[in-house]
Amino acid sequence: GRRSRSKPTYPGELDNTVAGGLPADLTPLDNLIKECAEEASIPETLARQAIPVGVISYVYEEAGGVKPDQQLCWDLALPDGFVPENADGEIDSFALLPVTEVMAIVRDTTEFKFNCALVLIDFFLRHGLIGPDDTDYAALCHGLRQGRP
């Protein structure tokens, strides 16, 4: 998904298909179901098929200082022909791209919101698209899990 150009943070950048902060009053699964509906019109029955695959921990610098953060990651295979549709106005458009093109965008540009690139790198590692023979393999694996924030 490409973020809405009217968003105050990271306008126009590429984003995860579905993402969102975890409210204190929702479980991770309930939040996933809510975000799937809002951000991509993914029905609950399909959202419930998502598989939790881990947590990415990182620290980043922002105007107020350094902020530790983490992302709970899920894999969800969408059926052939499914077209996500944004329902909350946060995404301008969706595009289906070959994984090799996504890898090149992550590697060669800053088009993806920085923490979305981390989620994608995690996916590439878990699915063998970046393997142990890659010179950056160990550094990428360690970099995605920098300790609990």
Side-chain angles (χ1 to χ4, degrees):
R2 184 158 307 270
R3 293 170 67 84
S4 170
R5 299 206 184 276
S6 64
K7 292 233 4 131
T9 55
Y10 312 102
E13 292 188 12
L14 293 172
D15 204 338
N16 296 312
T17 304
V18 173
L22 179 59
D25 63 339
L26 291 179
T27 67
L29 178 59
D30 288 339
N31 191 50
L32 174 76
I33 292 166
K34 175 184 81 70
E35 293 291 340
C36 279
E38 290 174 358
E39 295 196 358
S41 299
I42 297 171
E44 181 176 344
T45 54
L46 182 55
R48 286 187 176 278
Q49 296 175 29
I51 300 167
V53 295
V55 177
I56 296 171
S57 301
Y58 57 97
V59 177
Y60 68 100
E61 192 172 340
E62 59 182 8
V66 176
K67 181 180 187 277
D69 208 349
Q70 60 185 10
Q71 291 197 52
L72 283 71
C73 298
W74 306 73
D75 281 353
L76 176 60
L78 297 173
D80 287 342
F82 181 86
V83 178
E85 292 180 28
N86 184 250
D88 65 4
E90 293 187 7
I91 296 292
D92 276 345
S93 63
F94 287 99
L96 178 61
L97 303 173
V99 71
T100 53
E101 187 174 338
V102 174
M103 290 177 74
I105 293 169
V106 170
R107 183 188 61 235
D108 301 333
T109 77
T110 57
E111 281 191 69
F112 274 99
K113 186 176 164 226
F114 78 93
N115 57 359
C116 299
L118 299 177
V119 172
L120 289 166
I121 292 167
D122 178 69
F123 179 90
F124 303 152
L125 290 165
R126 288 185 296 101
H127 291 273
L129 300 166
I130 298 174
D133 291 339
D134 187 290
T135 56
D136 295 324
Y137 180 79
L140 290 169
C141 289
H142 292 296
L144 291 173
R145 283 146 187 92
Q146 297 182 7
R148 190 167 186 247

